[in-house]
Amino acid sequence: MLKKLDAKLRAEGYNRITSNIPEIGIYYKSSDGGVRIIPVVDYHFGFHFSGNQYQNLINQIRNLFVKKGYEQIEMLSLILAWDVHDAGMMSQYGCPRWIIDVNAVQLLIYEDQPIDFHGLSGLVNDVIEEETQAARKKAADETEKKDIEEAVQRAALKARNMAENKDGTEAAKEAVKEAVKNVLTEPAAVDKAKTKAAIATLFHKKAVINTLIVLINIIAFMVLEIGGSTTDAAYMVEKGAMFAPYVLDKHEYYRFITSMFMHFGIGHLTNNMLILFFVGDNLERAVGKLRYMAVYFISGIGGGVLSFLFNSGRDELVVSAGASGAIFGIIGAMLYVLIVNKGRLEDLTARRVGLLIFFSLYYGLSSSVIDNWAHIGGLIAGGAVAFILYKGPKAEARDTENKD
C-alpha cells in the first residue's frame, strides 16, 4: 500500500523528503507561496511512537518549512495502522490526521477531522480500492488452485484404486491415463472455483436496502438545501427536525421519523453516510433485508425517543436531527452479530467495532453540539433488536433447510 500511495502522491505533484525514521515519509507540494504537507507514518507492529514524539515530529516538520520561507502551511498526517487504537492514541495531538486501517483496508476519518484535504480522500480511496481488488483476486486464485489440487488428488487416488483392482502393469498404466483424462476433461474443479469467486464478488457488492437508505438521506439533504439552509435551526424545525416542545404541545410525533433523514450541513451528512455505507452493508448481508430495516428504523426511533425524553426536561431549547441514532443502532447490532459469529464477520471484528463505538461516544461526549442521548438510545435499541431477531449462522441455516 505504501508504494501505491507514493506513486499516487508523486503523480499529483508531491515531492518526498526522507526522514531519519524509516517508517515516516514527508510529502509536500508548493502552491502560491504556501505549502501542503502530508506526513505518512507506517505504524506497523513493533513500531512505537508516543504522543509527545509525534507532536515533536509535527513541530519539526512545520519549523523546517517555516525556515524555507513558507508563510501558509497546511498539514495532514496519513497513518497506516495495524493497531488502530494504538495509532489513534499516538496521533491525538499534533496536526489533523487520517488513519488507514491496514487490516480492514479502509480509511477512518473521525468526526473531529477534516473530511477532505485538497482531493486527498479520493486519492487514498483509489489506493484502498486497488488493494481490495488485489486481495479478492488473490483469494479467488488461491481458491481455484486449492480446488484443482484437490481434484488431482482425487484422480490420483482413483487411479491407484483402479490399478489395485486390475492385474498387470498395462492395466495400471491404463488406469492412470484414464484418471489424468478425467482431470483434464472434468470441469468440476474449475467450475467450482469460478462459482466461489463469483459468489465472493457478489458477496462484496453493496447491499440494496442500505444503499437505498443512503440515497434517501442524500436526496433529502439536497431537497432541503435547495429550499433553504440545513445549518439554520429554525428552517430545520419547520421541515421536520426533532423539537421537543412541538412534540409535547402539538403532538407532532412524525418528527421521530423525519428527523432521521435530516442533517445539519454537508459535513454532518458525509460523516454519517460514510459509516452507514460500510458498516450497514455488512450488517444487511448478515441479517437480511427485512431485519436490517427493522434495526435501522427501530434504532433511529429509539435514539429519537431517548433524546426527546432527555431534552424535554432541559431549560434550553434543543433542535436535533440526523441518522446518528440509527447508525449507532446498526453498529450495536453489528457488534452483537460479531459476538455471535465468534468475533469476526467478513472484514470486521468485534474489537474494531467496539473501538469504533468507544471513540464515537468519546468524541460525542467531548462535544457540546452532538446529541449523545440519540447515540446511546440507538446503540441500545440496535443491540436489542439484533438479540431478538438474529439467531446466528447455524440457526439461520437450519431455518432455511426447514423451509425448503
Side-chain angles (χ1 to χ4, degrees):
M1 185 178 290
L2 278 170
K3 290 182 179 179
K4 290 179 181 177
L5 269 176
D6 178 81
K8 292 278 187 183
L9 288 169
R10 289 179 186 274
E12 290 295 319
Y14 283 88
N15 298 303
R16 186 177 190 274
I17 300 175
T18 304
S19 71
N20 57 354
I21 303 173
E23 287 82 3
I24 298 173
I26 303 162
Y27 295 82
Y28 71 95
K29 183 178 182 180
S30 303
S31 176
D32 298 328
V35 64
R36 304 169 192 166
I37 309 170
I38 305 174
V40 177
V41 182
D42 181 15
Y43 204 88
H44 56 75
F45 287 124
F47 175 71
H48 181 72
F49 211 53
S50 69
N52 288 333
Q53 288 175 314
Y54 174 77
Q55 191 167 12
N56 289 336
L57 172 69
I58 297 303
N59 291 336
Q60 289 174 14
I61 295 172
R62 191 179 299 276
N63 291 335
L64 173 65
F65 283 90
V66 168
K67 290 178 181 178
K68 289 178 177 290
Y70 292 103
E71 296 181 358
Q72 184 178 356
I73 297 175
E74 298 178 271
M75 194 181 314
L76 183 140
S77 289
L78 272 180
I79 303 171
L80 283 72
W82 291 91
D83 187 331
V84 173
H85 174 67
D86 196 18
M89 296 300 292
M90 176 274 294
S91 64
Q92 61 182 325
Y93 302 105
C95 70
R97 80 285 181 195
W98 295 347
I99 295 177
I100 299 177
D101 187 338
V102 178
N103 289 306
V105 195
Q106 63 182 359
L107 174 62
L108 303 178
I109 303 177
Y110 297 113
E111 289 185 356
D112 63 336
Q113 300 300 309
I115 294 300
D116 201 3
F117 184 79
H118 302 287
L120 184 62
S121 63
L123 183 149
V124 173
N125 283 319
D126 285 345
V127 172
I128 288 173
E129 180 63 24
E130 289 176 10
E131 287 286 311
T132 303
Q133 290 179 359
R136 290 176 187 169
K137 185 177 184 303
K138 182 179 178 181
D141 290 344
E142 289 177 352
T143 300
E144 182 174 356
K145 181 181 177 182
K146 181 180 177 182
D147 287 336
I148 292 174
E149 287 176 351
E150 289 177 354
V152 171
Q153 291 174 1
R154 288 195 301 271
L157 179 62
K158 183 177 179 181
R160 187 165 56 250
N161 291 336
M162 291 174 67
E164 289 175 354
N165 293 330
K166 294 183 179 182
D167 295 327
T169 305
E170 292 301 322
K173 287 181 179 180
E174 290 177 8
V176 171
K177 287 180 181 179
E178 183 178 348
V180 171
K181 181 180 177 182
N182 289 337
V183 172
L184 295 175
T185 57
E186 182 184 15
V190 176
D191 287 348
K192 183 179 178 183
K194 288 182 178 178
T195 302
K196 284 187 176 180
I199 292 172
T201 302
L202 180 63
F203 189 71
H204 281 86
K205 287 184 178 179
K206 300 306 173 187
V208 175
I209 298 300
N210 186 58
T211 303
L212 183 61
I213 290 174
V214 171
L215 289 174
I216 291 172
N217 275 280
I218 294 172
I219 292 170
F221 177 80
M222 293 171 65
V223 171
L224 288 171
E225 274 293 313
I226 291 171
S229 173
T230 55
T231 57
D232 183 346
Y235 172 72
M236 293 292 276
V237 169
E238 177 189 344
K239 297 302 180 182
M242 175 54 64
F243 189 55
Y246 282 14
V247 176
L248 288 170
D249 301 334
K250 298 183 179 182
H251 307 293
E252 295 179 351
Y253 302 112
Y254 64 86
R255 293 179 181 271
F256 288 110
I257 302 265
T258 55
S259 62
M260 291 167 53
F261 297 93
M262 302 173 69
H263 291 85
F264 292 108
I266 187 65
H268 188 202
L269 174 75
T270 304
N271 282 335
N272 280 346
M273 292 305 102
L274 282 173
I275 298 174
L276 180 61
F277 192 70
F278 291 106
V279 180
D281 273 14
N282 290 64
L283 183 64
E284 183 179 336
R285 285 193 293 269
V287 304
K289 293 177 174 56
L290 293 179
R291 279 177 285 191
Y292 177 78
M293 289 180 64
V295 170
Y296 185 87
F297 281 98
I298 293 174
S299 299
I301 294 171
V305 168
L306 190 60
S307 172
F308 162 75
L309 293 174
F310 177 76
N311 290 322
S312 61
R314 300 174 66 184
D315 294 332
E316 58 183 286
L317 299 177
V318 177
V319 179
S320 60
S324 300
I327 290 170
F328 264 79
I330 298 297
I331 296 172
M334 191 75 244
L335 181 60
Y336 175 77
V337 170
L338 283 166
I339 292 171
V340 172
N341 284 274
K342 299 181 180 180
R344 178 175 289 276
L345 184 68
E346 296 187 29
D347 55 352
L348 288 179
T349 65
R351 182 172 179 272
R352 292 195 194 105
V353 173
L355 287 173
L356 175 62
I357 293 171
F358 172 79
F359 280 115
S360 298
L361 289 176
Y362 171 78
Y363 285 121
L365 292 170
S366 64
S367 174
S368 60
V369 297
I370 294 178
D371 191 349
N372 294 292
W373 290 104
H375 291 182
I376 295 170
L379 185 67
I380 295 171
V385 173
F387 175 77
I388 295 170
L389 297 181
Y390 184 73
K391 303 174 185 178
K394 292 183 179 179
E396 297 289 325
R398 285 197 301 269
D399 288 348
T400 303
E401 290 177 2
N402 291 336
K403 288 178 182 179
D404 295 340

